[in-house]
Amino acid sequence: MAINPEFIGRTYPPTPVYFVGREKIREFATALGDTASCYFEVDAARALGYPDLIAPPTFAVVFTMKAGEQVVLDPELALDYTRVVHGEQKFVHQRPIFAGDQLTSSVSVDSIRSAAGNDMIMVKAQVHSTSGELVSTVYSLLVSRGVEEPT
Amino acid sequence: MTLISYLDLHVGLELPAQEFVFTRVDLIKYAGASGDFNVIHWNERVATEVGLPSVIAHGMLTMGTVIRVVTDWLGDPGKITSYSARFTRPIPVPDSDEGATIKVTAKITELLENNQAVISILAIHNDVTVLAKTVVTVTLKP
């Protein structure tokens, strides 16, 4: 069933604050097998001009994926989440995320289109610091696979 | 470490290629670190029931890993101003010591104003492209 395009622009309330911790940055980089010193050593990050450890470029998924569940589980959109797969991902960074950042994510439905029996919903999460600075914008394309075979 | 300067770059410049290996424990570690506990990334029974050859790597594990071709070369991951990818093919990760190997190459496709460069990444597993339209923008010092 095609999703009603009237849902484009639908917004959700900002998430609770996510506090970016040094150990979470280290854990995430370790899980990626990435040993870059600016993810582990504060002095190395400061040598690059940053106030504290910086997070890897894809770190924001740690909190934006959960924020995006507001769309996946929205009863009015009525997505069958067992048929939803992750199609595309995009990060636009105004600056790196730093350890010590306190961030909220404001999620909206950026676009909806249908192709080959699948519904494609672009979920946009704007990540702001608690002082109101836009830090990153994160786009995730959710593909809801159609039940019928495409003709 | 010497950081890359915009003036060092030209369109077509190839970044040092790298190979990455995913084994089952890498999927477990990424699930824990990212909070993505989707069963198809750790439960063989469910993965095969839904038609996959085995558990598959998280698309975001692949995306987070292959960017190292750019960040290791750049020396400063904070210079990445945008990064996008399309997940085209899953990477099955067998229950073996060898795991799954991803071969990654990258080259500069465009130089923009304001000291920005556009880099295209190619990620290949078993001769198949696993990420498409994998594009990185970096903003450098002049």
Side-chain angles (χ1 to χ4, degrees):
Chain A
M1 187 180 69
I3 294 170
N4 190 335
E6 285 180 10
F7 285 115
I8 296 170
R10 185 174 178 85
T11 60
Y12 298 83
T15 60
V17 171
Y18 180 89
F19 195 114
V20 180
R22 287 179 182 167
E23 298 305 338
K24 190 65 191 182
I25 288 176
R26 290 170 177 142
E27 179 192 11
F28 191 80
T30 300
L32 294 174
D34 197 330
T35 58
S37 57
C38 56
Y39 303 145
F40 293 90
E41 299 164 25
V42 176
D43 287 347
R46 288 191 177 142
L48 293 172
Y50 304 118
D52 208 307
L53 296 186
I54 68 169
T58 62
F59 179 84
V61 292
V62 170
F63 47 89
T64 58
M65 193 182 72
K66 185 156 181 58
E69 287 177 1
Q70 294 176 99
V71 179
V72 178
L73 302 177
D74 184 337
E76 291 185 43
L77 260 72
L79 289 176
D80 177 357
Y81 67 87
T82 65
R83 308 192 68 82
V84 172
V85 296
H86 192 180
E88 297 175 24
Q89 183 74 24
K90 180 174 187 178
F91 302 86
V92 179
H93 297 305
Q94 306 302 314
R95 65 159 172 83
I97 291 171
F98 305 132
D101 272 340
Q102 299 187 50
L103 304 172
T104 61
S105 303
S106 300
V107 169
S108 59
V109 176
D110 199 53
S111 67
I112 293 174
R113 60 196 166 89
S114 296
N118 299 326
D119 287 321
M120 280 165 276
I121 304 146
M122 187 67 84
V123 176
K124 175 181 175 180
Q126 287 188 293
V127 179
H128 288 90
S129 70
T130 46
S131 62
E133 174 194 16
L134 178 65
V135 176
S136 299
T137 308
V138 180
Y139 299 87
S140 307
L141 186 72
L142 305 178
V143 180
S144 182
R145 292 174 297 142
V147 177
E148 294 167 43
E149 290 295 311
T151 51
Chain B
M1 175 184 286
T2 309
L3 298 180
I4 301 288
S5 157
Y6 180 79
L7 295 175
D8 299 335
L9 308 182
H10 61 269
V11 171
L13 178 71
E14 294 187 7
L15 280 49
Q18 293 196 49
E19 284 190 13
F20 302 101
V21 175
F22 294 153
T23 61
R24 290 281 172 93
V25 71
D26 297 314
L27 275 50
I28 305 292
K29 283 161 70 179
Y30 188 78
S34 68
D36 183 348
F37 292 100
N38 188 325
V39 288
I40 60 173
H41 304 306
W42 57 268
N43 187 317
E44 185 86 3
R45 172 177 52 82
V46 174
T48 52
E49 275 174 12
V50 299
L52 295 166
S54 73
V55 299
I56 60 169
H58 305 72
M60 287 308 305
L61 170 59
T62 308
M63 190 174 177
T65 299
V66 304
I67 189 67
R68 283 168 55 196
V69 164
V70 178
T71 55
D72 288 354
W73 165 77
L74 204 54
D76 181 357
K79 294 283 188 278
I80 290 178
T81 41
S82 77
Y83 180 26
S84 57
R86 176 178 290 180
F87 305 110
T88 47
R89 296 290 178 88
I91 300 177
V93 177
D95 181 13
S96 70
D97 292 339
E98 292 76 26
T101 300
I102 301 98
K103 296 179 179 178
V104 186
T105 57
K107 67 179 175 186
I108 295 178
T109 55
E110 203 176 350
L111 293 175
L112 306 174
E113 291 177 5
N114 304 324
N115 304 310
Q116 291 193 318
V118 182
I119 299 164
S120 178
I121 296 178
L122 193 59
I124 305 283
H125 168 65
N126 276 353
D127 300 322
V128 173
T129 300
V130 289
L131 296 179
K133 296 189 175 180
T134 309
V135 179
V136 185
T137 306
V138 297
T139 305
L140 300 168
K141 292 204 165 63

